[in-house]
Amino acid sequence: MTDPGSAETGSADTGPADPRATAHEPSVDPWKGLRGIMAGTLILEAIVIGLVLTVIARVDDGEHFQPWKVWFVSLLAVAMVVASGLQRRPWAIPLNLTLAGLAVAGWAVHWSMGVCGLMFAAVWAYILYLRRDLSRRMAAGYLPSQHD
């Protein structure tokens, strides 16, 4: 039997080794996965925003189907698809948040677009939380790829 305070099990005084002491740069790019999530979110958001065209065409006998609304929705959906390919740029996150804000401002087009914009705004808030958490873990040396 081993003594609970022996070197094999570690003692309560020393605790686990400091991960920052053995951490190195991650062997895989941890930001690549987050960029993929952001690009995928933009594509999904573009699809949902594009479907608003069918809503404004059919609800209230097409009362909301006005040229400026069609242009706004169409250009916003196309901008989201284009932005999904620009996630490596340093200005990608401000662009993503601007597009999400425009989706919320789509309340002027139809309330259903504003609701969809609010739902995606919550998704973007969670993505920003994940980004902050990843940055903190990377700085502290807690990523598994920093200990290969």
Side-chain angles (χ1 to χ4, degrees):
M1 268 217 188
T2 60
D3 182 34
S6 70
E8 290 181 51
T9 60
S11 68
D13 295 336
T14 60
D18 185 16
R20 291 174 289 191
T22 60
H24 55 77
E25 285 297 313
S27 56
V28 294
D29 184 13
W31 300 110
K32 185 176 181 180
L34 189 65
R35 286 192 305 263
I37 290 171
M38 292 189 299
T41 301
L42 280 170
I43 293 294
L44 289 174
E45 192 171 7
I47 292 168
V48 169
I49 295 300
L51 289 173
V52 167
L53 289 174
T54 61
V55 171
I56 63 175
R58 295 181 184 261
V59 173
D60 298 332
D61 296 324
E63 176 185 325
H64 302 285
F65 201 71
Q66 300 166 356
W68 76 269
K69 292 179 179 183
V70 172
W71 277 103
F72 178 78
V73 171
S74 301
L75 289 176
L76 183 59
V78 169
M80 288 176 176
V81 171
V82 170
S84 71
L86 301 174
Q87 294 306 300
R88 288 187 178 201
R89 308 281 191 229
W91 40 266
I93 291 185
L95 175 64
N96 298 344
L97 297 177
T98 301
L99 292 173
L102 287 172
V104 173
W107 209 287
V109 172
H110 193 263
W111 65 267
S112 61
M113 184 172 172
V115 169
C116 291
L118 286 176
M119 289 189 314
F120 275 102
V123 170
W124 284 110
Y126 183 63
I127 288 173
L128 289 177
Y129 167 77
L130 291 175
R131 181 177 180 261
R132 186 185 70 185
D133 186 52
L134 178 63
S135 178
R136 286 182 180 173
R137 287 175 183 248
M138 197 164 133
Y142 288 122
L143 296 181
S145 63
Q146 289 179 300
H147 300 281
D148 299 12

